[in-house]
Amino acid sequence: MAEVELLSTPHDIQISDVTCDSFRITWEMAHEDTSRVTHYFIDLSRKEGSEHNRFKHRDVPTKLVAKAGPLPMAVRGHWFLSPRTEYCVAVQTAIRQPDGDYQVSEWSQVVEFCTGDYAMEHLQQLLDKAQAAAGRMLRFSVFYRNQSPEYFQYVRLCGGAMLPSFKDNSGSHGSPINEKLRGVFLSCNTEFDTGLPPKDSPYGPLRFQISAEHLLNPSTNLYFADFYCMYTAYHYVVLVLAPAGSEGDSFCQSHLPRLDLSSNPFLTFTSGDAPVFCHASDVILEVLYTEPLLLEHGILAQISGHHQLMSLSTANAKKDPSCKVCNISVGR
């Protein structure tokens, strides 16, 4: 019986054109194998800690079986990839035998890569879903921020300015602003019966309030950044307010959908002798202002309600991946 000529091990694995839910992969193999190989086996899994992925099966296809074709090969839709996630991938080539079995090469070395953020098209899908949930518009007059006494004492020691800090990883994992855009988070939602900010807060007993007109005006730009929930019936919309021409504005222009200040479903400004400011009633707005805020431009006072409602805090909160209202067709 003739000796079977072994297949060379794929090497020099290259990953390119990585998005939040797809990538392209290519590799090198012996020239004589190019015409013999009929299939590619590609094994991919999330990177766990600092260890490389260990494949349970070394000589059979475990994940994706694809007919051999020109490289690089586009991988999209074969796995439900998550954005901003580290993966390990390895390749095996194979020749399909007449009996349906495969002659296979050794697995290639394991290569690691990280998927990207949501692109504009994905954010537009989120925006469309958020718009459907926004509800009617209610008037408001101030933005506000609740924190602990220790926080505001620190602000005073630093010159009286609340300085922008990086957005955490709460909300959609693929939001482009997570850990990349600095800002100061503010709220603007009001109570239905009073039209005023709520008496309670999960963030602290002291509240800084600043006139809506000071931040929301023709010299600022408004962007949509996220839509999510935390296993609850109510949903959050993250917006970014950036003074035109600022560093934050430059980031947002290339990463986020811009909203019309006078006509959008979340947060509006209507100019005139008495400017009118409105917010969406059926979602909780989280507004990230990209510049420092001086305490002297607003007022600081004790809230009259409770401040221990930590279940309502969104700090590093994870999005509910099963919610049909706020999830889109790519990774959460």
Side-chain angles (χ1 to χ4, degrees):
M1 188 173 72
E3 184 177 346
V4 176
E5 185 177 353
L6 298 178
L7 288 168
S8 63
T9 303
H11 61 280
D12 195 20
I13 312 299
Q14 300 290 328
I15 306 293
S16 62
D17 299 332
V18 180
T19 72
C20 69
D21 64 347
S22 68
F23 63 95
R24 296 173 73 86
I25 183 169
T26 189
W27 58 88
E28 299 292 334
M29 54 185 165
H31 179 71
E32 58 269 22
D33 289 346
T34 305
S35 59
R36 298 194 301 145
V37 167
T38 62
H39 290 78
Y40 304 142
F41 300 158
I42 300 177
D43 205 342
L44 177 142
S45 69
R46 291 181 184 232
K47 180 181 176 182
E48 297 182 3
S50 59
E51 296 185 1
H52 290 296
N53 178 40
R54 291 188 173 88
F55 303 113
K56 295 180 180 178
H57 307 288
R58 303 299 298 182
D59 57 353
V60 295
T62 61
K63 299 290 185 183
L64 170 63
V65 180
K67 287 186 177 181
L71 296 175
M73 171 185 170
V75 179
R76 184 186 183 107
H78 302 92
W79 293 281
F80 192 81
L81 297 178
S82 295
R84 287 193 176 199
T85 303
E86 291 184 319
Y87 288 95
C88 300
V89 64
V91 176
Q92 193 177 45
T93 58
I95 301 173
R96 186 179 176 88
Q97 306 295 310
D99 62 1
D101 202 357
Y102 291 95
Q103 176 193 344
V104 297
S105 70
E106 291 292 324
W107 283 103
S108 72
Q109 68 183 70
V110 175
V111 173
E112 300 173 0
F113 70 99
C114 186
T115 48
D117 300 329
Y118 284 157
M120 283 287 191
E121 62 182 291
H122 306 119
L123 289 169
Q124 187 60 51
Q125 292 178 39
L126 269 184
L127 173 56
D128 292 341
K129 282 181 167 283
Q131 181 171 345
R136 66 190 180 96
M137 303 295 282
L138 299 177
R139 290 194 179 193
F140 77 102
S141 60
V142 296
F143 289 101
Y144 55 93
R145 175 177 174 84
N146 274 74
Q147 283 289 344
S148 66
E150 293 77 16
Y151 169 83
F152 286 111
Q153 179 62 27
Y154 177 78
V155 169
R156 290 190 183 95
L157 292 175
C158 294
M162 291 181 283
L163 301 178
S165 59
F166 281 115
K167 162 76 170 62
D168 64 13
N169 270 319
S170 61
S172 299
H173 196 49
S175 176
I177 70 172
N178 289 354
E179 296 186 325
K180 290 185 178 180
L181 183 64
R182 295 177 186 267
V184 179
F185 262 117
L186 302 165
S187 301
C188 64
N189 288 81
T190 57
E191 294 183 326
F192 287 97
D193 54 346
T194 66
L196 299 174
K199 297 177 181 179
D200 303 323
S201 172
Y203 299 106
L206 291 183
R207 174 173 292 163
F208 169 77
Q209 290 190 176
I210 187 169
S211 168
E213 190 172 8
H214 192 88
L215 305 183
L216 189 58
N217 54 62
S219 65
T220 55
N221 289 325
L222 180 66
Y223 299 88
F224 171 84
D226 201 3
F227 177 48
Y228 71 99
C229 71
M230 303 182 299
Y231 303 89
T232 57
Y234 43 87
H235 283 78
Y236 297 83
V237 170
V238 180
L239 304 175
V240 179
L241 265 178
S246 65
E247 183 179 348
D249 188 45
S250 178
F251 176 92
C252 293
Q253 284 181 14
S254 58
H255 291 86
L256 304 176
R258 183 177 170 182
L259 302 174
D260 186 335
L261 279 179
S262 63
S263 179
N264 72 79
F266 312 115
L267 187 67
T268 60
F269 158 73
T270 304
S271 61
D273 294 337
V276 176
F277 304 91
C278 294
H279 70 82
S281 60
D282 291 351
V283 292
I284 299 174
L285 297 181
E286 298 182 308
V287 182
L288 188 70
Y289 186 70
T290 62
E291 300 301 305
L293 284 174
L294 295 175
L295 291 182
E296 64 185 39
H297 289 162
I299 58 172
L300 188 64
Q302 184 97 13
I303 61 173
S304 59
H306 301 285
H307 63 274
Q308 300 296 331
L309 308 175
M310 293 310 296
S311 62
L312 297 180
S313 172
T314 61
N316 288 304
K318 300 305 179 185
K319 181 174 184 175
D320 178 2
S322 64
C323 179
K324 295 181 179 179
V325 175
C326 61
N327 282 299
I328 56 177
S329 58
V330 295
R332 310 304 187 226

